Amino acid sequence: QVQLQESGPGLVKPSETLSLTCTVSGGSISSGTSYWNWIRQTPGKGLEWIGYIFYIGDTNYNFSLRSRVRMSMDRSQNRFSLRLSSVTTADTAVYFCARQQKSGWFDGFDLWGQGIMVTVSS
Amino acid sequence: DIHMTQSPSTLAASVGDRVSITCRASQSISSWLAWYQQKPGRAPKLLIDKASSLQSGVPSRFSGSGSETEFTLTISSLQPDDFATYYCQHYNSYPWTFGQGTKVEIK
C-alpha cells in the first residue's frame, strides 16, 4: 500500500530555511488524481494546511505562508519537498505530508506520513 | 479564510455512550467536510469525507451528517479505541482549514 515518510533536519536556526522531503512508496507520485500536501501542527494553532503540489508542477499555497513557501517534486525519486524560508520560533511544529485525491472535486487527506518534529531555535 | 469551530472542546464519556461532536463553518461549505481521528504521537486518520462518506475500514459506529454550515460526527457506541481527539476540516475553498479539535476522554 502507499506510504509516506517525512525526512529532514529536526532543528533549524531562526531566519534560515526549513527543508523537508516526503518520500512516497508503494505508489506513483505521478498519479493524475493525487495532490501532495504539507500540513503542520502546533499546540497553539492546531492543524494548518501549508499547501499542495500536483505532479505536473501545479502548486497552491496557504496565503498566510505564500511569501515564504516553495514546494517541489522529484518524480524520478518519487518524492516531494517543502522549503519554508525566514523561519521563526512560530514555525516550530510537527510537519506532516499527506495525500489528497481529486476526482471532480477534492476529497479529505486519506494518507499521512508519521510526521516530523521541527524546532526553530538558535 | 473559512473558520471552523468545534464543540465541545472536551467531552468526557463512558464506553457504550453515544457521543456527538459539532463542527460549524463560518460560511457555507456545501458538503466539503472531512472528519479525522488523532491519537497522541500519531498522524490524523481520515474517518469521513464529503460530510457523510465513511472511509473504507472505518467502523460503522462512526457517522457524519450535515451540510452548508453545520455538521455532526456521531459515534453510536463509544469503544475503548475511540478515546482520541477529533478534527473537522473543510475543503470547499482555499485555504483548507481545520477545527480546533475535540478531545474525547474517559469519564
Side-chain angles (χ1 to χ4, degrees):
Chain A
Q1 71 279 23
V2 181
Q3 293 183 313
L4 284 64
Q5 177 71 59
E6 304 90 349
S7 59
L11 181 64
V12 182
K13 290 183 167 53
S15 79
E16 295 190 345
T17 296
L18 178 160
S19 295
L20 297 175
T21 295
C22 181
T23 300
V24 180
S25 59
S28 174
I29 202 171
S30 300
S31 162
T33 59
S34 298
Y35 286 69
W36 305 98
N37 292 262
W38 288 98
I39 296 159
R40 66 183 184 181
Q41 185 171 31
T42 62
K45 290 190 70 176
L47 289 158
E48 180 179 28
W49 175 72
I50 299 170
Y52 67 60
I53 185 167
F54 188 47
Y55 81 102
I56 56 174
D58 288 354
T59 56
N60 197 305
Y61 304 140
N62 192 322
F63 185 81
S64 66
L65 297 167
R66 187 175 294 169
S67 63
R68 299 194 291 130
V69 170
R70 287 297 179 268
M71 294 182 187
S72 59
M73 181 176 279
D74 184 340
R75 292 165 62 181
S76 67
Q77 297 292 319
N78 221 40
R79 64 191 187 194
F80 61 103
S81 298
L82 168 71
R83 288 174 59 86
L84 181 65
S85 63
S86 304
V87 297
T88 70
T89 55
D91 296 309
T92 294
V94 177
Y95 287 77
F96 296 98
C97 55
R99 184 183 76 175
Q100 190 175 24
Q101 301 277 57
K102 183 182 181 188
S103 56
W105 190 238
F106 291 92
D107 295 327
F109 301 112
D110 66 338
L111 281 178
W112 295 66
Q114 65 185 26
I116 184 169
M117 178 69 208
V118 178
T119 301
V120 178
S121 175
S122 55
Chain B
D1 298 4
I2 296 175
H3 187 67
M4 308 299 292
T5 304
Q6 290 181 232
S7 60
S9 296
T10 307
L11 187 162
S14 302
V15 172
D17 284 353
R18 180 183 180 89
V19 302
S20 292
I21 299 168
T22 296
C23 177
R24 288 187 173 87
S26 61
Q27 64 190 72
S28 176
I29 58 170
S30 185
S31 295
W32 304 120
L33 184 100
W35 288 100
Y36 301 86
Q37 177 194 68
Q38 187 178 31
K39 296 181 178 179
R42 306 288 297 274
K45 173 187 173 183
L46 179 64
L47 301 174
I48 287 167
D49 66 7
K50 297 184 187 71
S52 60
S53 179
L54 197 67
Q55 291 295 291
S56 175
V58 175
S60 59
R61 62 181 180 271
F62 291 92
S63 64
S65 63
S67 65
E68 307 296 338
T69 62
E70 186 149 340
F71 302 85
T72 302
L73 173 69
T74 300
I75 308 172
S76 60
S77 177
L78 200 64
Q79 298 301 301
D81 191 49
D82 302 338
F83 292 97
T85 300
Y86 294 84
Y87 295 93
C88 62
Q89 174 244 331
H90 89 84
Y91 48 99
N92 178 76
S93 57
Y94 304 119
W96 315 147
T97 56
F98 293 82
Q100 82 281 11
T102 295
K103 186 175 183 179
V104 177
E105 299 180 327
I106 301 172
K107 183 186 283 184

